[in-house]
Amino acid sequence: QVQLVESGGGLVQTGGSLRLACAASGRTFSPYSLSWFRQAPGKERECVAAISRSGGSTYYADSVKGRFTISRNNAKNTMSLQMNSLKPEDTAVYYCAASTAPLTATSYSYMYWGQGTQVTVSA
């Protein structure tokens, strides 16, 4: 069992930056591929970034490419999402998730989820 806890959300103006963090407890991170998902009101949950077990491969949704950077530190059991040039459409609850599957952006592949952290980008 892996427990995931997100932090770092908040309110930021358009063009600003935030850094989200995800910490794991219970088991080591290293056997899992990891992702950041987000869900805005009335919209489906979407994967914005994913990273492989080793950190050597990443995936980004087209909407965040060039603005968001996902990284992980297996020794510290942490993962982060650096978000730059934020836009109002980035407003959502952001979740970190862990999967035993290889790098994937499909939510049904993820069996462990954090509770979410709110990111609000004002116009």
Side-chain angles (χ1 to χ4, degrees):
Q1 188 79 3
V2 177
Q3 291 81 43
L4 304 174
V5 178
E6 303 95 339
S7 61
L11 174 64
V12 65
Q13 291 184 333
T14 296
S17 298
L18 281 175
R19 187 177 182 88
L20 304 184
C22 178
S25 61
R27 295 186 66 176
T28 180
F29 247 178
S30 55
Y32 302 95
S33 58
L34 304 171
S35 284
W36 288 97
F37 284 79
R38 69 184 180 188
Q39 189 165 23
K43 294 188 177 181
E44 292 187 357
R45 189 172 295 191
E46 64 167 339
C47 180
V48 296
I51 190 165
S52 61
R53 298 181 183 95
S54 68
S57 298
T58 56
Y59 160 85
Y60 293 97
D62 288 342
S63 58
V64 307
K65 279 182 182 176
R67 301 189 297 122
F68 290 10
T69 303
I70 189 172
S71 60
R72 65 188 294 168
N73 185 326
N74 287 341
K76 296 184 177 181
N77 267 7
T78 58
M79 174 178 66
S80 64
L81 184 68
Q82 178 66 42
M83 305 186 295
N84 299 327
S85 301
L86 284 162
K87 305 175 181 180
E89 51 263 44
D90 294 318
T91 296
V93 178
Y94 284 72
Y95 301 88
C96 65
S99 171
T100 55
L103 185 67
T104 176
T106 54
S107 60
Y108 60 77
S109 298
Y110 289 83
M111 63 285 295
Y112 300 114
W113 294 83
Q115 82 289 348
T117 186
Q118 176 71 47
V119 171
T120 303
V121 184
S122 63

